[in-house]
């Protein structure tokens, strides 16, 4: 298996999740997706769906599959990578404690 390549945006998204931010994908009545990062402090940030899709495809995050707003959680693999990015243990929402 090759090395995982993440964009700076994807790495920052993992850091934000490690710090307790919440990532949600909202769907409107027409089925369009809007990805939003809800930090603990500060305004909501709208994200490009590609970053979220890449993290999901890499097995770093998974959603709770709720409609109309799915919450993304770090997988075990994602938690380990997030810890490496922030340089210590993290305590975000994760699939095992959600």
């Amino acid at each position: 298996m090759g090395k995982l390549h993440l964009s700076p945006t994807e790495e920052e998204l993992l850091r934000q999740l490690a710090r307790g931010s919440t990532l949600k994908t909202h769907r409107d009545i027409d089925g369009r997706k809007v990805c939003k990062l809800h930090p603990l402090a500060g305004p909501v940030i709208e994200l490009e769906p590609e970053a979220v899709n890449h993290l999901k495809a890499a097995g770093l995050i998974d959603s709770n599959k709720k409609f109309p707003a799915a919450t993304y959680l770090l997988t075990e693999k994602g938690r380990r990578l997030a810890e490496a990015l922030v340089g210590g243990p993290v305590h975000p929402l994760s699939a095992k404690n959600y």
Side-chain angles (χ1 to χ4, degrees):
M1 184 166 87
K3 183 177 178 184
L4 179 62
H5 294 284
L6 299 179
S7 71
T9 298
E10 293 162 352
E11 286 185 4
E12 182 58 23
L13 184 50
L14 288 177
R15 283 186 196 93
Q16 290 294 326
L17 290 172
R19 294 179 184 127
S21 295
T22 303
L23 175 62
K24 293 187 176 209
T25 299
H26 304 264
R27 284 193 183 265
D28 66 18
I29 194 76
D30 296 322
R32 289 182 296 246
K33 286 186 187 180
V34 178
C35 300
K36 294 182 179 181
L37 183 67
H38 301 263
L40 293 176
V44 172
I45 302 164
E46 192 167 321
L47 303 167
E48 293 296 325
E50 292 79 16
V52 175
N53 291 339
H54 186 241
L55 293 176
K56 186 176 176 186
L60 300 172
I61 61 174
D62 196 13
S63 82
N64 63 0
K65 305 184 181 40
K66 301 288 184 186
F67 180 83
T71 301
Y72 282 88
L73 312 166
L74 290 171
T75 62
E76 186 61 29
K77 178 180 175 183
R79 184 192 57 77
R80 287 192 308 267
L81 181 54
E83 286 179 344
L85 290 170
V86 299
V90 298
H91 304 286
L93 286 177
S94 67
K96 71 178 187 182
N97 65 10
Y98 189 75

